[in-house]
Amino acid sequence: MLPPVLTTRLSSPHRTDTKTGKQSRETVYVITDLTSRQASPERIATILRAHRVIENRLHFVRDTAFRENASKIRTGRSPENMATLRSFAINQLRDAGHTNIAAGLRTTALRPYERPLALLGLN
């Protein structure tokens, strides 16, 4: 039997565009299997913020540094495999102290036969 589904609505405070001065307010509708007691607006907002952290920390970086959304790899398990390799590269660069992944990729590409191996501790 499927769990009951709850739809809840969250509204953000007004925000003002600094360039145009225009005010706006975003309303987000969320479908969840949490009960109404579990799905307080604060709890849903916390879950959404955690999701955005993941989106910004990994998916955004994969798309901007590796142009993942423009990839032509679409058959079989290839997209998942490439996503895993991209995530591995990002994590290796972060472990090596790179905070800017694009800059870390450029630095590593300067000596492609030495730096990637050094990054993995295989030099």
Side-chain angles (χ1 to χ4, degrees):
M1 184 170 173
L2 294 174
V5 174
L6 173 70
T7 303
T8 188
R9 186 186 99 179
L10 301 174
S11 294
S12 67
H14 292 285
R15 58 184 161 197
T16 304
D17 187 315
T18 55
K19 293 180 182 176
T20 64
K22 182 179 176 183
Q23 284 193 345
S24 64
R25 184 177 192 150
E26 180 182 32
T27 300
V28 177
Y29 293 92
V30 180
I31 298 174
T32 178
D33 62 351
L34 297 174
T35 66
S36 58
R37 286 186 183 181
Q38 295 171 323
S40 68
E42 295 81 15
R43 172 99 188 268
I44 297 294
T46 301
I47 292 168
L48 290 175
R49 276 192 297 277
H51 177 74
R52 284 188 186 135
V53 167
I54 294 168
E55 179 67 31
N56 291 337
R57 184 147 171 90
L58 182 62
H59 301 296
F60 178 77
V61 173
R62 281 200 327 221
D63 188 39
T64 55
F66 291 102
R67 295 176 34 97
E68 187 172 64
N69 288 349
S71 176
K72 302 293 183 200
I73 300 170
R74 305 222 188 278
T75 59
R77 294 282 182 213
S78 299
E80 292 93 343
N81 293 338
M82 289 304 299
T84 299
L85 290 172
R86 290 177 186 117
S87 295
F88 177 75
I90 291 166
N91 289 329
Q92 291 301 310
L93 288 166
R94 284 195 175 123
D95 286 347
H98 293 278
T99 55
N100 183 323
I101 301 303
L105 288 170
R106 287 190 297 273
T107 300
T108 304
L110 291 175
R111 293 202 317 259
Y113 298 108
E114 298 171 19
R115 289 196 171 146
L117 295 175
L119 193 64
L120 296 172
L122 299 174
N123 52 351

Short mmCIF file of all heavy atoms in Angstrom, two decimals, residues 18 22 27 42 44-45 58 61 69-70 76 81-83 85-87 100 110 115:
data_model
loop_
_atom_site.label_atom_id
_atom_site.label_comp_id
_atom_site.label_asym_id
_atom_site.label_seq_id
_atom_site.Cartn_x
_atom_site.Cartn_y
_atom_site.Cartn_z
N THR A 18 18.40 44.02 -6.87
CA THR A 18 19.21 45.20 -6.62
C THR A 18 19.40 46.07 -7.86
O THR A 18 19.63 47.27 -7.75
CB THR A 18 20.59 44.81 -6.06
OG1 THR A 18 21.21 43.90 -6.97
CG2 THR A 18 20.46 44.17 -4.70
N LYS A 22 12.80 45.81 -8.39
CA LYS A 22 11.54 45.07 -8.44
C LYS A 22 11.49 44.05 -7.30
O LYS A 22 12.45 43.32 -7.06
CB LYS A 22 11.42 44.38 -9.79
CG LYS A 22 10.14 43.61 -9.97
CD LYS A 22 10.08 42.97 -11.34
CE LYS A 22 8.83 42.11 -11.45
NZ LYS A 22 8.77 41.41 -12.73
N THR A 27 6.83 31.12 -4.48
CA THR A 27 6.03 30.11 -3.79
C THR A 27 6.44 28.76 -4.33
O THR A 27 6.50 28.55 -5.54
CB THR A 27 4.53 30.34 -4.04
OG1 THR A 27 4.18 31.63 -3.55
CG2 THR A 27 3.71 29.28 -3.33
N GLU A 42 9.21 24.66 8.48
CA GLU A 42 10.63 24.75 8.83
C GLU A 42 11.38 23.50 8.39
O GLU A 42 12.49 23.57 7.88
CB GLU A 42 10.80 24.96 10.35
CG GLU A 42 10.25 26.28 10.84
CD GLU A 42 8.74 26.27 11.06
OE1 GLU A 42 8.11 25.18 11.10
OE2 GLU A 42 8.17 27.38 11.16
N ILE A 44 10.51 21.31 5.99
CA ILE A 44 10.57 21.27 4.53
C ILE A 44 11.63 22.24 4.01
O ILE A 44 12.41 21.92 3.11
CB ILE A 44 9.19 21.57 3.91
CG1 ILE A 44 8.17 20.51 4.31
CG2 ILE A 44 9.28 21.70 2.41
CD1 ILE A 44 8.44 19.13 3.76
N ALA A 45 11.69 23.43 4.60
CA ALA A 45 12.70 24.42 4.19
C ALA A 45 14.11 23.89 4.43
O ALA A 45 15.00 24.06 3.60
CB ALA A 45 12.48 25.74 4.92
N LEU A 58 27.84 19.76 -6.19
CA LEU A 58 28.22 18.69 -7.10
C LEU A 58 27.67 18.88 -8.51
O LEU A 58 28.42 19.01 -9.46
CB LEU A 58 27.78 17.34 -6.54
CG LEU A 58 28.16 16.13 -7.38
CD1 LEU A 58 29.67 16.01 -7.50
CD2 LEU A 58 27.58 14.88 -6.80
N VAL A 61 28.79 22.04 -10.36
CA VAL A 61 30.21 21.95 -10.71
C VAL A 61 30.40 20.98 -11.87
O VAL A 61 31.15 21.28 -12.82
CB VAL A 61 31.05 21.54 -9.49
CG1 VAL A 61 32.49 21.27 -9.88
CG2 VAL A 61 30.98 22.61 -8.42
N ASN A 69 25.78 18.66 -19.01
CA ASN A 69 24.48 18.73 -19.69
C ASN A 69 24.62 18.73 -21.21
O ASN A 69 23.67 18.38 -21.91
CB ASN A 69 23.70 19.96 -19.24
CG ASN A 69 23.18 19.82 -17.83
OD1 ASN A 69 23.23 18.74 -17.25
ND2 ASN A 69 22.70 20.90 -17.27
N ALA A 70 25.78 19.10 -21.73
CA ALA A 70 26.00 19.11 -23.17
C ALA A 70 26.58 17.78 -23.67
O ALA A 70 26.80 17.62 -24.87
CB ALA A 70 26.95 20.25 -23.55
N GLY A 76 22.96 3.20 -22.71
CA GLY A 76 23.34 2.22 -21.70
C GLY A 76 23.67 2.85 -20.37
O GLY A 76 23.02 3.78 -19.91
N ASN A 81 28.22 6.11 -15.68
CA ASN A 81 29.65 5.87 -15.52
C ASN A 81 30.44 7.17 -15.64
O ASN A 81 31.36 7.43 -14.85
CB ASN A 81 30.15 4.85 -16.55
CG ASN A 81 29.58 3.47 -16.30
OD1 ASN A 81 29.17 3.14 -15.19
ND2 ASN A 81 29.55 2.65 -17.33
N MET A 82 30.09 8.00 -16.62
CA MET A 82 30.79 9.27 -16.79
C MET A 82 30.51 10.20 -15.61
O MET A 82 31.41 10.91 -15.15
CB MET A 82 30.39 9.94 -18.11
CG MET A 82 30.95 9.24 -19.33
SD MET A 82 32.75 9.05 -19.30
CE MET A 82 33.27 10.75 -19.24
N ALA A 83 29.29 10.21 -15.09
CA ALA A 83 28.98 11.03 -13.92
C ALA A 83 29.82 10.58 -12.72
O ALA A 83 30.32 11.42 -11.96
CB ALA A 83 27.49 10.95 -13.59
N LEU A 85 32.81 9.12 -12.87
CA LEU A 85 34.19 9.56 -13.11
C LEU A 85 34.35 11.06 -12.87
O LEU A 85 35.36 11.50 -12.29
CB LEU A 85 34.61 9.20 -14.54
CG LEU A 85 34.80 7.71 -14.81
CD1 LEU A 85 35.02 7.46 -16.29
CD2 LEU A 85 35.95 7.17 -13.98
N ARG A 86 33.37 11.84 -13.30
CA ARG A 86 33.44 13.29 -13.06
C ARG A 86 33.41 13.60 -11.57
O ARG A 86 34.18 14.44 -11.08
CB ARG A 86 32.30 14.00 -13.78
CG ARG A 86 32.44 13.98 -15.28
CD ARG A 86 31.23 14.64 -15.94
NE ARG A 86 31.29 14.51 -17.38
CZ ARG A 86 30.41 13.85 -18.12
NH1 ARG A 86 29.36 13.26 -17.55
NH2 ARG A 86 30.54 13.78 -19.42
N SER A 87 32.53 12.93 -10.84
CA SER A 87 32.45 13.13 -9.39
C SER A 87 33.74 12.72 -8.71
O SER A 87 34.21 13.40 -7.78
CB SER A 87 31.28 12.34 -8.80
OG SER A 87 30.06 12.82 -9.29
N ASN A 100 38.54 25.82 -6.26
CA ASN A 100 37.98 26.15 -7.56
C ASN A 100 38.29 24.99 -8.49
O ASN A 100 39.44 24.79 -8.89
CB ASN A 100 38.60 27.46 -8.08
CG ASN A 100 38.01 27.89 -9.40
OD1 ASN A 100 37.69 27.08 -10.26
ND2 ASN A 100 37.86 29.19 -9.57
N LEU A 110 48.04 21.19 -17.27
CA LEU A 110 49.31 21.76 -17.73
C LEU A 110 50.35 20.69 -17.98
O LEU A 110 51.16 20.81 -18.89
CB LEU A 110 49.83 22.79 -16.73
CG LEU A 110 49.03 24.08 -16.63
CD1 LEU A 110 49.57 24.96 -15.51
CD2 LEU A 110 49.06 24.83 -17.95
N ARG A 115 50.69 15.36 -13.41
CA ARG A 115 49.83 15.88 -12.34
C ARG A 115 48.65 14.98 -11.98
O ARG A 115 48.36 14.84 -10.80
CB ARG A 115 49.38 17.28 -12.66
CG ARG A 115 50.53 18.26 -12.55
CD ARG A 115 50.06 19.67 -12.48
NE ARG A 115 51.20 20.52 -12.17
CZ ARG A 115 51.32 21.74 -12.63
NH1 ARG A 115 50.40 22.26 -13.40
NH2 ARG A 115 52.37 22.46 -12.32
#
